[in-house]
Amino acid sequence: MHDTADSRELSEFPLEELAACHECDLLMRRPHLGDGERAECPRCGYELFSYRHSVVPRSLALVLAALLFYVPANFLPIMQLNLLGQTTQDTVWSGVLALYHSGMGGVAVLVFLCSMGIPLLKLLCQLFVLLSIRLDIGRSYGLLFYRIYQHLREWGMLEVYLMSTLVAIVKLVDLAEVNLGIGLACFVGLLLTQIWLEVTMSPQQIWEALAGKEDSLARN
């Protein structure tokens, strides 16, 4: 990794050869990396860039897997509750409806957006971006959808919903008979697939591929 010290002043380099650390704002020359290599900031250690092999095909497979998990994760029973001879099955969607019908419409909308709506929009944006790179069509729209995806990243809170569900299950165990459903397994699978996708889908390579840089496409 090149430090700021160089035989020439940084101001003499074109902008496309420079990079700034997202954490400490250190300005330095952009590194040239190969497959499997990554660059860290020499001052704070923040990971600046990383290049991975076959990013687009691997990311496409993970996006499709996540979309397959999405429907059963949200509409199949997460748990079955037996209390005083009455049996109820709860899903993510039924939880949203229950909040709405109990008069908490605002909370229901928030839960729907964070647990169902925004995660689906993120996956669809990622799918469109990867297809625009893979098929080499509509890359200007791919850039737009990737920007939208970056803005949506902070609003997808599947892990928060999962933790609240697990806490509820632990509390209900002493009060009633609780049987876990296949929806919970699919929900966990969806969450793990999205985390794997975040790790695999290198932002630097995606931006460069959308910009049409040949070296990035060759790595993909």
Side-chain angles (χ1 to χ4, degrees):
M1 178 81 213
H2 293 285
D3 204 340
T4 49
D6 199 276
S7 59
R8 295 188 292 169
E9 295 293 335
L10 288 176
S11 58
E12 298 180 21
F13 291 96
L15 288 177
E16 57 268 17
E17 293 187 17
L18 300 178
C21 177
H22 297 284
E23 294 296 315
C24 67
D25 296 324
L26 177 67
L27 187 64
M28 66 203 84
R29 290 188 62 185
R30 183 182 294 273
H32 298 284
L33 304 176
D35 288 335
E37 295 181 344
R38 67 177 186 174
E40 296 180 350
C41 175
R43 183 159 66 188
C44 69
Y46 179 81
E47 182 178 302
L48 300 172
F49 311 108
S50 61
Y51 281 94
R52 299 178 177 88
H53 181 66
S54 302
V55 168
V56 173
R58 291 167 59 198
S59 299
L60 265 176
L62 289 172
V63 167
L64 294 176
L67 288 172
L68 290 175
F69 275 124
Y70 180 85
V71 173
N74 288 285
F75 296 99
L76 289 183
I78 290 180
M79 62 180 175
Q80 179 177 304
L81 182 65
N82 298 317
L83 179 62
L84 301 177
Q86 295 185 345
T87 301
T88 58
Q89 291 184 335
D90 295 309
T91 67
V92 176
W93 176 242
S94 68
V96 173
L97 292 179
L99 287 172
Y100 179 79
H101 291 306
S102 64
M104 294 186 288
V107 177
V109 171
L110 184 61
V111 171
F112 170 76
L113 289 176
C114 293
S115 63
M116 297 182 66
I118 292 177
L120 179 60
L121 286 176
K122 285 171 54 181
L123 289 173
L124 293 177
C125 285
Q126 288 172 300
L127 178 63
F128 190 89
V129 168
L130 293 169
L131 288 177
S132 68
I133 297 172
R134 184 72 172 178
L135 303 178
D136 196 16
I137 56 174
R139 294 201 180 191
S140 59
Y141 293 104
L143 284 168
L144 173 63
F145 277 96
Y146 198 52
R147 291 191 182 98
I148 295 174
Y149 162 74
Q150 294 295 332
H151 288 296
L152 293 175
R153 288 183 64 186
E154 302 300 325
W155 288 93
M157 301 181 182
L158 291 180
E159 63 279 2
V160 176
Y161 192 91
L162 177 62
M163 288 301 299
S164 63
T165 301
L166 295 178
V167 170
I169 291 174
V170 171
K171 290 185 175 181
L172 288 171
V173 165
D174 294 332
L175 302 175
E177 181 183 350
V178 179
N179 297 314
L180 302 182
I182 191 173
L184 181 61
C186 292
F187 198 90
V188 172
L190 174 61
L191 178 59
L192 293 178
T193 304
Q194 286 194 317
I195 294 174
W196 192 2
L197 180 60
E198 291 281 346
V199 175
T200 302
M201 200 170 171
S202 171
Q204 181 66 22
Q205 284 176 273
I206 297 299
W207 283 120
E208 291 182 357
L210 288 171
K213 293 187 178 182
E214 295 181 359
D215 57 339
S216 180
L217 287 173
R219 289 190 178 100
N220 293 332

